[in-house]
Amino acid sequence: MTTINMVPSNAGEVCDLLEILSKHGVHCSLEFKADHNADPLISLVDEPIAVKYIEGDLMETGDLVEITLGGADFTFSLGDHEFFQLVQGAQVTVLITGPNYAAWFNSQSMPSEAIFELTACNSAFILDDDEFKLIEYVRGLKFDDVLDAVKGILDEAQKAAHNAARCNTKGEEMNYCTFMERTEALQRLATFLGDANRDYRSHINAC
């Protein structure tokens, strides 16, 4: 089981981060979980996100963060909640914890424009020179080049999936898990590569 080490944050940083996702049309999912319950009470997938900071009455509710996901609104008071964030590659995770529950907001992969904007305003997300070069290079590739690269990666993912199926048939559980992890990693790599190129996105979204 993978452990996720979230970065402590605050309402302002979380609002800025979610506003960038909203601005660039990045969809998100939500898992709303009660304490000590593995299954989510509320689960939403692939919905547009919006965020609003509401100044409240200090003697009553105090300031609030309102997050809209699809058609559902979720309101979190600053005094009763803690805020965390994590940016990994082209994806964002926001965690908001209350007295007896936790709300996990997970983004789909961000386009390169969103990554650059997030990098400029978020100290928790810093790219080194090689990472910047890679982003710039991927952004400049033509559709056919990205399509060939994505296809090549997916072909390797398919090979790994076949190997996983073969190991599963033979009862080789450890090898099966290894090949499945490789399959999923390559599929995600292909998705992120395609989404990071505007020319590729425009062709694929037009289909």
Side-chain angles (χ1 to χ4, degrees):
M1 183 175 179
T2 302
T3 301
I4 300 176
N5 296 315
M6 301 295 294
V7 178
S9 186
N10 56 60
E13 288 181 350
V14 165
C15 285
D16 289 343
L17 191 156
L18 295 181
E19 283 176 356
I20 292 173
L21 298 182
S22 178
K23 173 182 176 181
H24 292 277
V26 179
H27 284 201
C28 297
S29 62
L30 164 69
E31 286 193 351
F32 195 99
K33 296 183 177 182
D35 282 354
H36 311 300
N37 192 339
D39 296 324
L41 295 174
I42 301 173
S43 182
L44 299 172
V45 179
D46 193 18
E47 296 284 357
I49 195 166
V51 63
K52 184 188 302 181
Y53 189 96
I54 303 171
E55 294 185 359
D57 187 335
L58 185 61
M59 299 300 294
E60 296 181 7
T61 61
D63 291 353
L64 308 170
V65 172
E66 181 181 270
I67 299 176
T68 300
L69 196 65
D73 295 329
F74 302 90
T75 302
F76 307 96
S77 60
L78 270 61
D80 296 334
H81 295 85
E82 292 185 280
F83 298 82
F84 304 85
Q85 61 168 297
L86 181 65
V87 182
Q88 289 183 311
Q91 286 190 297
V92 168
T93 299
V94 167
L95 169 62
I96 303 176
T97 59
N100 300 302
Y101 58 82
W104 294 83
F105 295 88
N106 298 286
S107 79
Q108 293 184 340
S109 59
M110 295 181 290
S112 55
E113 296 88 347
I115 294 175
F116 273 102
E117 187 170 348
L118 190 150
T119 304
C121 73
N122 191 328
S123 60
F125 185 42
I126 302 174
L127 297 176
D128 61 30
D129 290 342
D130 290 330
E131 289 168 327
F132 269 116
K133 290 176 184 177
L134 175 61
I135 292 172
E136 289 287 3
Y137 184 73
V138 171
R139 291 180 69 182
L141 289 173
K142 300 298 183 184
F143 168 72
D144 289 340
D145 296 328
V146 180
L147 181 65
D148 288 343
V150 168
K151 183 179 182 301
I153 295 170
L154 290 177
D155 286 346
E156 291 301 315
Q158 187 64 35
K159 292 178 184 177
H162 285 316
N163 285 331
R166 176 177 53 79
C167 292
N168 189 45
T169 301
K170 293 182 177 181
E172 300 174 357
E173 184 176 353
M174 185 173 296
N175 288 335
Y176 165 77
C177 293
T178 298
F179 280 118
M180 283 304 301
E181 289 178 359
R182 175 174 171 79
T183 300
E184 293 171 3
L186 291 173
Q187 288 173 339
R188 288 167 64 86
L189 176 59
T191 298
F192 293 154
L193 175 60
D195 287 348
N197 180 269
R198 181 182 298 174
D199 194 19
Y200 181 88
R201 294 198 310 273
S202 65
H203 278 81
I204 296 301
N205 292 339
C207 295

